[in-house]
Amino acid sequence: MRRPIIFLFLFFSTGIVLEYHAKIGLAVLIFLILVFLAPFAFALGKAWNTSRHWQPVRLVCLLFISLLLGSTMFYLAENDRDPLEALEGKKYEVHGRVVTVQIKDETSSQVLITAAPYGKRLIQVRGNIGNPGELVGKWAVGYGTIVLPAQRKNPNLFDYRLYLKTRDVRVIIQANAQQITFDEGRPAFLPAAAARLKYGFTDRLKDTMNPEAYGIIVGMLFGDRSFIGEDIYDAFQKNGIAHILSVSGIHVGIVYLYISKLLGNRKTIFFYLLTSSFLVFYAALSEFSPSVVRAVVMIFIHIFSKILWRPYDFISCTAACALAMLVINPFYLFNTGFQLSFTAVFCLASALPWSERMLDQMQQKGKPELLIKMLRYSAPLLVIQLGMAPLTAYLFNYFSAASFFANIPIIALSGVMIPLGISLIPLSFLGGFVFGVGASAVELLAEFMICINDFFYLPGVGFISVVSPSVFLLLVYYGSFFCFSSELFRVLYQRNNRRAIILICTIIIGSSALIHFAIGSENPGAGLIFLDVGQGDSLHIKTPGGKNILIDGGGSQNYNVGQNVLLPYLLKSGVREIDLAIATHLHDDHYLGLTQLAKEMRIKKFGTYEINRYREAELLEETGLKEENLIYLKAGDRIQLDQDVWIDVLYPKARTAEEYQRILDQEEDENKSSLMMRVSYRGLSVLMTGDIGFDGETELMRQYEDAPEQLRSDILKVGHHGSRFSTGDEFLESVAPEFAVFQVGKNNFGHPHPTVIEKCSQKGIMIYRNDLNGAIIFEIEGQIWHIKVLLPKNMHIKKLTGISKAAG
């Protein structure tokens, strides 16, 4: 087999993914490794006489051993616990060498320290700890509370705990600035020198540039995006050029070419030593991000191949580098930077030779030389964009047509800005006229880059939001991409070997389906999902017929829940539009998230209580919807969503225009006008109570005194996030739920109140809470309901029959 390292890397990575999703277990893995080692050893022993006969056996066994080793190493890494994980919530003193310091704002910062043999620990500090340039490399002693990093609380969204594991961090220490001290002794040389150089330079640069240009330059040179405004970064990301704002392989390549030109391309031992030293130092400046480490290691291998006069195979080198990084830390595979960086390089290494052959054929046919030169320049960028588009859609839920055009001038511009910016680093310590002129030139180029970005930023044209493709489609795309651009496929095509081509296509599709089935999906099928939107309510109803309904959408003045939680959750769940959104009332923690979502995703119909007909102008302005999109609801209304799926509006009842106007004029508590609805879903019933209080509950029971079955429900969404002024004993008895869902997050109101929890517990009601369980999912398969939650620590699994005691 040619380039076996590529297949070893692929099977090793597959093993990591399978163990992450399927949890195979160490005993089974060791058994399977031994099973495949036996025929491998036997085939190896027979190789001297019958090598061709036993070669397929050796190959298959070797690949599956690689897969099982990937699973085993991930299992060991996952279970290699930091001892402090068992001390969550307790005070503890930690010691370690400072690796990085990140200033979040004037009152908070993060200090990353080594803690051998336990990896690294992150200290979150409240207060001012001083100049980061003077702290990196020093020995730190911190005393604070141990907390575990937050996990993903909604399906498919960002998992901070998993991200920190890619950086070898398992625990966080929360401390005040007075509780952390730094040894004034001799610090570690390389990180300390890199930090002083970096922060000394950035401090001087900050004094000479406007904030926007400064943020762009610091991001490009060191990968620190904390100084880039959210709007600017979002525009760069949607245009497909955000990679230029964090140090990547492109940056390292430009630096390498810059050094080569500076030293006159003299490929001597001194040149290679000097280049290697500078690249290591530059990697330290960028805090050894995965993409930088990958690029630097690949350049090192290239340098060694030149020194040893050995051939350099780009794609084999890339696979070897990726495999080595995964052996060191298997969690790297789940790092977005790792995924994007290596996918881009694999696509380039695989498809660029094919494009070069096409261009050579065009040249031989006498095509215009200028056209061929333009295509040669743009071919690598086009190859990368075609290769990265599906992964970008999967990770970030957008497709950027602008990226095919914006990357050409942006990368050309960065080829000037990065060398110029690096040249300013030593000049910044000399100061004077030369540094000022250089800084002004870089600032001008950064402003020009922002103008290019603004020119291509065309929502709905330059980029569009898309749902995440399935893992199956992703694997089929990349399997086909790498296969059809390979030399093997070219040979098979030229020989017209259709059988082999069909076999390869079958293997790609079959293995993609197998992996997709093995890892499963976090996307719930038809059912009910109580989303975690922090301190707020939100229920997502997915009907068997594919309709999507939201009852409330959370919301906060301090955080864009619609854009940052609802939109990515829906797109990653395959939802392109909302058929119906209902706001129980217009308080921020129920309504604001829906208004934010309406600006990002189509909402066909928007429902609210009938009193809001007299606030229609405000509704239209806040949601951006049209009059025909609004529907007004009152007690007695039924909304048929799908077969055997409907919503009954129970409260409040209709009133006269005069009564509505009086309520609005007197600004009565809007909670009293909160919609209460009963969702019936194939035999399972849910009572949605909004923020109703005792008075509303009493009125509701009186209203349905003659038809108490209308209130009985399997699931009670506890009113007002578990406030002590709601969920009375009589009301609980009237509803008689089997499950109580508290939609609650971090708050200063004391929600949920212990008395409400106690009431539910005493009645034998199973309690679920978003703050403890994450998203709470009721999923139907056939006639069986499955209940699951996102946080394993508080996991409850239960199966229900599909027949509700309240159905009728």
Side-chain angles (χ1 to χ4, degrees):
M1 178 195 293
R2 194 180 171 202
R3 295 170 172 156
I5 191 68
I6 299 172
F7 294 93
L8 291 176
F9 160 70
L10 290 175
F11 275 73
F12 192 88
S13 302
T14 303
I16 292 174
V17 172
L18 289 176
E19 175 59 26
Y20 174 72
H21 289 280
K23 309 293 182 188
I24 300 169
L26 186 60
V28 176
L29 290 170
I30 292 175
F31 172 76
L32 291 174
I33 289 174
L34 294 175
V35 166
F36 280 98
L37 271 177
F40 178 76
F42 183 76
L44 200 61
K46 293 283 186 178
W48 295 108
N49 300 321
T50 55
S51 59
R52 290 181 62 85
H53 178 71
W54 289 100
Q55 186 175 357
V57 178
R58 293 200 308 271
L59 177 62
V60 170
C61 290
L62 181 62
L63 292 179
F64 275 93
I65 290 170
S66 178
L67 183 147
L68 294 169
L69 284 175
S71 294
T72 304
M73 294 201 70
F74 181 81
Y75 175 89
L76 295 174
E78 176 73 2
N79 290 276
D80 182 20
R81 307 284 183 182
D82 188 314
L84 297 192
E85 291 183 64
L87 303 177
E88 182 183 7
K90 297 182 178 180
K91 297 284 187 179
Y92 196 84
E93 185 176 89
V94 294
H95 302 250
R97 185 77 64 184
V98 177
V99 179
T100 63
V101 178
Q102 183 181 13
I103 304 298
K104 305 291 287 185
D105 53 48
E106 294 179 356
T107 60
S108 64
S109 56
Q110 293 190 151
V111 179
L112 184 65
I113 64 170
T114 59
Y118 309 117
K120 299 171 184 172
R121 288 164 179 163
L122 185 66
I123 306 177
Q124 294 179 341
V125 186
R126 293 181 298 274
N128 189 351
I129 59 173
N131 183 3
E134 299 297 324
L135 302 178
V136 174
K138 289 186 176 180
W139 189 262
V141 178
Y143 180 79
T145 305
I146 299 169
V147 297
L148 298 182
Q151 294 177 270
R152 173 172 42 236
K153 299 184 78 174
N154 287 304
N156 300 304
L157 297 192
F158 179 67
D159 190 334
Y160 187 53
R161 183 175 298 185
L162 181 61
Y163 164 74
L164 286 184
K165 285 180 179 179
T166 70
R167 301 190 66 186
D168 203 21
V169 176
R170 307 297 178 115
V171 297
I172 296 173
I173 310 296
Q174 294 180 339
N176 295 319
Q178 296 78 15
Q179 295 174 310
I180 181 169
T181 58
F182 302 92
D183 188 356
E184 295 300 326
R186 186 176 180 181
F189 173 73
L190 179 60
R196 289 196 185 97
L197 188 66
K198 173 182 173 180
Y199 290 106
F201 168 65
T202 55
D203 287 344
R204 291 171 177 82
L205 201 64
K206 191 173 185 178
D207 295 333
T208 62
M209 284 188 174
N210 67 62
E212 289 184 349
Y214 172 75
I216 295 291
I217 294 301
V218 171
M220 290 181 66
L221 294 181
F222 307 118
D224 185 355
R225 301 196 299 265
S226 59
F227 300 101
I228 303 173
E230 288 185 12
D231 293 340
I232 291 179
Y233 184 76
D234 184 65
F236 268 83
Q237 190 176 51
K238 296 294 174 57
N239 282 335
I241 54 177
H243 60 86
I244 212 67
L245 301 179
S246 56
V247 181
S248 64
I250 293 174
H251 299 67
V252 177
I254 291 173
V255 170
Y256 181 54
L257 291 174
Y258 172 59
I259 297 172
S260 299
K261 295 292 183 183
L262 197 63
L263 298 178
N265 287 316
R266 297 174 182 175
K267 302 300 189 293
T268 62
I269 295 295
F270 173 76
F271 165 82
Y272 290 130
L273 287 174
L274 186 62
T275 301
S276 301
S277 301
F278 187 86
L279 289 176
V280 169
F281 194 71
Y282 186 63
L285 288 175
S286 62
E287 301 178 359
F288 295 100
S289 69
S291 56
V292 173
V293 171
R294 186 266 306 160
V296 170
V297 170
M298 289 183 65
I299 290 174
F300 282 175
I301 296 175
H302 181 261
I303 288 173
F304 287 137
S305 70
K306 292 292 184 183
I307 293 174
L308 300 175
W309 295 90
R310 297 286 185 180
Y312 177 78
D313 185 70
F314 187 36
I315 194 166
S316 293
C317 176
T318 303
C321 183
L323 182 59
M325 291 180 70
L326 292 180
V327 169
I328 294 170
N329 183 359
F331 284 104
Y332 266 140
L333 189 64
F334 304 99
N335 183 284
T336 301
F338 180 94
Q339 296 170 9
L340 294 171
S341 177
F342 278 101
T343 301
V345 175
F346 275 123
C347 290
L348 195 64
S350 178
L352 198 57
W354 175 85
S355 66
E356 288 293 332
R357 289 195 299 270
M358 296 299 102
L359 291 172
D360 289 341
Q361 291 177 10
M362 289 177 62
Q363 194 170 27
Q364 292 170 5
K365 292 178 181 178
K367 300 295 181 182
E369 193 66 28
L370 179 61
L371 174 64
I372 293 173
K373 285 184 177 180
M374 290 176 60
L375 290 174
R376 285 191 192 279
Y377 174 75
S378 59
L381 300 176
L382 293 174
V383 165
I384 289 176
Q385 294 308 310
L386 286 171
M388 297 300 290
L391 184 59
T392 301
Y394 180 79
L395 293 173
F396 305 116
N397 297 110
Y398 67 83
F399 173 76
S400 176
S403 65
F404 289 87
F405 307 99
N407 267 288
I408 295 175
I410 289 293
I411 292 179
L413 199 58
S414 65
V416 178
M417 292 174 66
I418 292 172
L420 185 55
I422 291 174
S423 300
L424 288 176
I425 295 177
L427 291 176
S428 67
F429 293 89
L430 301 175
F433 176 75
V434 176
F435 173 74
V437 171
S440 298
V442 173
E443 180 182 31
L444 187 64
L445 292 172
E447 290 175 345
F448 183 48
M449 180 176 282
I450 294 172
C451 290
I452 294 173
N453 178 61
D454 291 340
F455 176 78
F456 285 104
Y457 186 72
L458 299 169
V461 180
F463 69 90
I464 56 172
S465 295
V466 295
V467 299
S468 292
S470 67
V471 172
F472 171 73
L473 291 177
L474 210 62
L475 292 173
V476 168
Y477 180 89
Y478 283 109
S480 303
F481 185 96
F482 295 131
C483 173
F484 296 154
S485 59
S486 67
E487 295 175 7
L488 173 63
F489 181 81
R490 182 163 62 96
V491 171
L492 294 176
Y493 180 78
Q494 289 174 345
R495 294 177 179 176
N496 199 26
N497 192 338
R498 294 182 180 178
R499 282 188 179 180
I501 293 174
I502 292 172
L503 177 62
I504 290 172
C505 292
T506 303
I507 291 172
I508 291 173
I509 295 172
S511 58
S512 299
L514 254 169
I515 294 172
H516 178 80
F517 175 77
I519 66 176
S521 173
E522 275 194 354
N523 293 334
L528 306 160
I529 305 97
F530 291 89
L531 296 172
D532 182 356
V533 288
Q535 179 62 11
D537 284 5
S538 186
L539 171 64
H540 177 204
I541 304 171
K542 298 179 72 171
T543 74
K547 291 184 178 178
N548 292 277
I549 296 88
L550 282 178
I551 298 179
D552 287 334
S556 169
Q557 291 293 337
N558 302 318
Y559 188 71
N560 192 326
V561 171
Q563 185 177 43
N564 298 325
V565 178
L566 295 179
L567 181 65
Y569 158 75
L570 292 167
L571 291 175
K572 290 182 183 301
S573 298
V575 178
R576 294 179 173 84
E577 61 185 13
I578 296 297
D579 296 279
L580 171 65
I582 300 175
T584 56
H585 59 297
L586 304 190
H587 283 169
D588 282 354
D589 57 345
H590 296 255
Y591 167 68
L592 184 59
L594 294 179
T595 67
Q596 295 163 342
L597 179 67
K599 294 177 175 62
E600 306 289 340
M601 175 180 282
R602 184 189 177 201
I603 295 179
K604 292 182 178 179
K605 293 292 181 182
F606 188 96
T608 185
Y609 180 39
E610 195 175 50
I611 194 174
N612 294 309
R613 188 185 298 275
Y614 300 93
R615 299 173 178 169
E616 188 171 278
E618 295 175 35
L619 287 174
L620 295 177
E621 181 181 356
E622 290 166 349
T623 61
L625 299 173
K626 297 180 180 179
E627 186 177 347
E628 57 266 25
N629 299 124
L630 301 182
I631 59 174
Y632 298 102
L633 304 170
K634 61 189 181 306
D637 288 342
R638 170 172 286 191
I639 307 169
Q640 191 72 39
L641 304 176
D642 209 332
Q643 185 177 2
D644 297 328
V645 185
W646 68 87
I647 298 174
D648 286 316
V649 181
L650 306 180
Y651 179 89
K653 63 183 180 181
R655 303 192 184 192
T656 64
E658 291 77 12
E659 288 177 309
Y660 283 142
Q661 197 60 55
R662 178 180 56 78
I663 294 171
L664 292 173
D665 291 342
Q666 294 178 358
E667 297 183 351
E668 292 186 11
D669 183 3
E670 192 166 332
N671 289 341
K672 295 179 181 179
S673 300
S674 184
L675 285 173
M676 292 189 69
M677 294 165 284
R678 186 172 182 270
V679 181
S680 298
Y681 195 126
R682 290 199 170 180
L684 193 72
S685 54
V686 186
L687 189 64
M688 298 297 294
T689 56
D691 278 351
I692 205 73
F694 289 144
D695 291 343
E697 293 172 1
T698 301
E699 174 63 23
L700 187 67
M701 288 186 290
R702 187 194 62 77
Q703 186 175 323
Y704 291 95
E705 188 175 7
D706 297 331
E709 70 279 357
Q710 293 294 319
L711 296 183
R712 294 196 182 100
S713 303
D714 301 299
I715 306 167
L716 171 66
K717 198 292 297 181
V718 177
H720 206 171
H721 321 290
S723 166
R724 63 192 177 100
F725 300 110
S726 66
T727 318
D729 287 311
E730 189 178 349
F731 181 70
L732 268 180
E733 291 176 3
S734 297
V735 179
E738 188 174 348
F739 306 95
V741 174
F742 289 80
Q743 294 222 263
V744 64
K746 186 178 180 181
N747 64 87
N748 298 318
F749 308 110
H751 299 160
H753 199 273
T755 58
V756 180
I757 297 174
E758 183 64 21
K759 288 177 188 178
C760 294
S761 298
Q762 288 179 350
K763 295 182 183 300
I765 301 170
M766 186 173 287
I767 296 172
Y768 291 95
R769 297 170 48 168
N770 284 134
D771 58 339
L772 299 181
N773 303 122
I776 301 145
I777 301 167
F778 291 77
E779 186 174 15
I780 188 170
E781 293 182 8
Q783 293 298 315
I784 302 296
W785 283 93
H786 300 264
I787 309 174
K788 61 182 179 180
V789 298
L790 260 286
L791 299 187
K793 180 180 177 181
N794 305 293
M795 181 67 76
H796 299 283
I797 301 293
K798 186 166 183 176
K799 293 182 181 180
L800 308 172
T801 61
I803 306 300
S804 167
K805 59 176 178 285

